[in-house]
Amino acid sequence: MSDSKTREIFVTGLKNAHAMENQALSIMKPQVKRIENYPDIAAKLEEHIRETEGQIGRLEEILTSLAENNSSLKDAALSFTGSMAALGHTVAADEILKNSMANFAFENFEIAAYKSLITIAELGGFEGLVAPLQVNLDQEVAMAAWLEESLRPTTIKFASLKEAGQAAKV
Ligand SMILES: [Fe+2]
C-alpha cells in the first residue's frame, strides 16, 4: 500500500476519533447533570469528561503535526451518526441501567477505534504518533473496566431504590 493511501486512512481515522470523542462528551455531559442518587458514577463521568477533553486535544495536536487543517473537524463531528448516536436514555425509568450499558458499549467502541488507529499509525510509518494514541487508549480501557465493575453494584442499588419507591430519580 502506498504511503499516501495509508496516510489518508490515518487522517480519516483521526478525524473520526475526534468526532467520536465529541460525541462522547455530548453523551456524558447531559447524563452527569441528571444523576442524583449515584454520586460515584457522577464523579467518574466528570473525571472521564476531563480525560476526554484531553484526548480531543491530543488528537488535534496529532492532526496539526500532520499539517491537517482543523477547520474540517466540525463537519466530521456533525456527521457522526453511527449507532452510538441514540445513546441518550433520558426518559426511561431505568435510565441509570440503560446509560451504564450504553456507556460500557461506547467505551468499547472507543477502544476498538484506538486499536485500529494505532495499527494504521504503525503501518504508515507514524510510530512517533503512537504514544499519544496509546494514552487515549489506556484511558478508555480503564473507563471500560470501571464501568464493567460498576454494573453489578449499580444494578443492585437501582433495585433497592426501586424497592424504596425512588426509582424515578437517576
Ligand atoms: Fe472514553
Side-chain angles (χ1 to χ4, degrees), residues 66-80:
L66 293 167
E68 286 295 325
N69 189 345
N70 280 358
S71 68
S72 58
L73 289 173
K74 264 191 185 121
D75 295 334
L78 291 173
S79 69
F80 186 85

Side-chain angles (χ1 to χ4, degrees), residues 75-153:
D75 295 334
L78 291 173
S79 69
F80 186 85
T81 54
S83 55
M84 299 300 161
L87 291 182
H89 298 103
T90 52
V91 285
D94 57 351
E95 177 177 339
I96 196 72
L97 297 185
K98 286 199 172 81
N99 285 344
S100 294
M101 295 172 210
N103 291 347
F104 181 59
F106 199 94
E107 291 306 323
N108 279 282
F109 182 89
E110 291 181 310
I111 288 168
Y114 284 115
K115 285 187 172 176
S116 177
L117 254 183
I118 287 170
T119 303
I120 293 292
E122 289 165 351
L123 284 176
F126 301 105
E127 287 90 348
L129 298 174
V130 166
L133 294 173
Q134 186 67 47
V135 172
N136 288 14
L137 173 59
D138 291 347
Q139 290 175 337
E140 308 304 14
V141 168
M143 185 61 177
W146 189 92
L147 288 166
E148 183 168 23
E149 271 176 34
S150 80
L151 276 173
R152 183 176 166 83

